[in-house]
Amino acid sequence: MSNRRSRASVSEEEINELISRLQTLLPSARRRGGSQASTTKLLKETCSYIKSLHREVDDLSDRLSDLMATMDHNSPGAEIIRSLLR
Amino acid sequence: MLMYASPSLSMLQGSKQFKHAILKNLLLGLRKGGVASRDMSFHERKNAIRHAADAALATARGVAPCWSRSLTAELSHGRHLRHAKSRPSECKSRSKMVCKNKILRRSLRPRPKSKATAKAARVVVARTMVRRRARALREIVPGGRGMDECTLLGETLDYAVSLKAQVDAMQLLCYC
């Protein structure tokens, strides 16, 4: 394990710490071990997770847009939104 | 606008104050964006909502993380880069949002240093795979392209937690 510090700007310890925090964050965080192979998987899951969050934001924007389009109707939700926005 | 610039990630995770700051900013932004107006088309309204949501997130998070500053900069340039994969017609002229993934060739062989053992070679290969994943992350985290790997990982964490809070805040608004 000597001289593993190559040109990479990241130290093993720092990576491991961030990896473990990612593990606790991800919904499917059940992984153990700090091997590099699971690091790759973890990063891939993180990518998927962030992308899924983007999609959720997009969907929610759709919903909000629909909600506001119907604001002239007197639904309870519209009433609340209207009062919040005025 | 409210800023909840928590320095500690663990404080941020699941934080009600952060969520509420986002929500409050979102309402202010929606009001400012005039989304209650009836004259808007669906897409105009949706884009205004998304814009307000991202501005709310970045402002609430504060300027500490790089992704937050990058997001603010993107917003002021009228971006719609990361979202809207479902509505390609909403793209502005920049086509940056499609990942320009340069696929690393599989022929990338490990290049052990002069006194490397087999194990060190495996580590190099693994690092290569990690770099490939890091490359993907750079595309989706705002400002990721300018970051070194360690910064990128930390920023990714922060960004993911913040995004979750943004989703939660918007759900509060949607389902009230």
Side-chain angles (χ1 to χ4, degrees), chain A residues 65, chain B residues 40-48 50 87 89-90:
Chain A
S65 193
Chain B
M40 284 186 158
S41 73
F42 175 83
H43 293 310
E44 278 175 331
R45 187 178 291 114
K46 181 181 172 177
N47 285 340
R50 236 173 8 214
R87 292 193 197 277
S89 57
E90 287 309 295

Side-chain angles (χ1 to χ4, degrees), chain A residues 45-84:
Chain A
E45 275 183 48
T46 307
C47 260
S48 308
Y49 180 56
I50 291 182
K51 283 182 187 167
S52 78
L53 287 173
H54 285 166
R55 281 195 299 273
E56 276 200 71
V57 172
D58 199 67
D59 288 343
L60 287 165
S61 301
D62 276 335
R63 283 182 182 274
L64 277 174
S65 193
D66 283 336
L67 207 60
M68 283 173 195
T70 60
M71 264 182 58
D72 37 330
H73 305 324
N74 280 327
S75 64
E79 219 24 70
I80 293 172
I81 303 255
R82 219 183 321 220
S83 64
L84 286 171

Side-chain angles (χ1 to χ4, degrees), chain B residues 78-93:
Chain B
R79 61 85 228 147
H80 280 294
L81 303 173
R82 299 171 293 109
H83 303 274
K85 284 217 158 108
S86 55
R87 292 193 197 277
S89 57
E90 287 309 295
C91 261
K92 305 225 167 153
S93 52

Side-chain angles (χ1 to χ4, degrees), chain A residues 7-75:
Chain A
R7 56 196 159 45
S9 55
V10 184
S11 74
E12 289 299 320
E13 304 81 45
E14 283 170 312
I15 283 193
N16 287 336
E17 204 223 306
L18 290 167
I19 295 299
S20 68
R21 286 161 92 184
L22 269 175
Q23 278 174 341
T24 57
L25 170 71
L26 291 177
S28 64
R30 273 173 284 108
R31 302 191 183 278
R32 304 191 53 229
S35 71
Q36 294 286 5
S38 54
T39 299
T40 313
K41 288 213 164 61
L42 194 71
L43 291 183
K44 187 174 177 184
E45 275 183 48
T46 307
C47 260
S48 308
Y49 180 56
I50 291 182
K51 283 182 187 167
S52 78
L53 287 173
H54 285 166
R55 281 195 299 273
E56 276 200 71
V57 172
D58 199 67
D59 288 343
L60 287 165
S61 301
D62 276 335
R63 283 182 182 274
L64 277 174
S65 193
D66 283 336
L67 207 60
M68 283 173 195
T70 60
M71 264 182 58
D72 37 330
H73 305 324
N74 280 327
S75 64

Side-chain angles (χ1 to χ4, degrees), chain B residues 19-168:
Chain B
K19 245 176 270 190
H20 290 167
I22 296 176
L23 182 57
K24 201 159 186 176
N25 291 345
L26 176 56
L27 290 169
L28 287 169
L30 290 174
R31 194 187 295 170
K32 197 163 64 166
V35 294
S37 144
R38 286 174 208 178
D39 298 332
M40 284 186 158
S41 73
F42 175 83
H43 293 310
E44 278 175 331
R45 187 178 291 114
K46 181 181 172 177
N47 285 340
I49 289 171
R50 236 173 8 214
H51 193 279
D54 286 342
L57 172 63
T59 308
R61 187 61 190 90
V63 296
C66 179
W67 68 260
S68 180
R69 299 192 299 272
S70 302
L71 181 55
T72 303
E74 285 174 8
L75 287 170
S76 62
H77 287 112
R79 61 85 228 147
H80 280 294
L81 303 173
R82 299 171 293 109
H83 303 274
K85 284 217 158 108
S86 55
R87 292 193 197 277
S89 57
E90 287 309 295
C91 261
K92 305 225 167 153
S93 52
R94 290 205 260 171
S95 57
K96 194 179 160 206
M97 72 173 178
V98 176
C99 261
K100 294 187 288 193
N101 262 336
K102 296 189 173 65
I103 300 175
L104 284 178
R105 277 168 295 182
R106 291 262 173 202
S107 60
L108 249 180
R109 284 187 296 280
R111 288 178 295 166
K113 306 270 193 280
S114 51
K115 47 181 177 165
T117 61
K119 175 158 197 225
R122 276 205 305 271
V123 167
V124 171
V125 171
R127 276 189 179 274
T128 305
M129 306 277 282
V130 167
R131 284 219 175 87
R132 183 189 303 196
R133 297 296 164 206
R135 201 175 284 225
L137 277 179
R138 282 181 211 282
E139 300 285 325
I140 61 178
V141 173
R145 293 204 178 115
M147 296 177 197
D148 64 77
E149 270 178 17
C150 191
T151 310
L152 180 65
L153 279 179
E155 288 275 328
T156 301
L157 255 178
D158 197 292
Y159 182 55
V161 168
S162 303
L163 267 184
K164 182 74 173 77
Q166 182 188 35
V167 165
D168 291 345

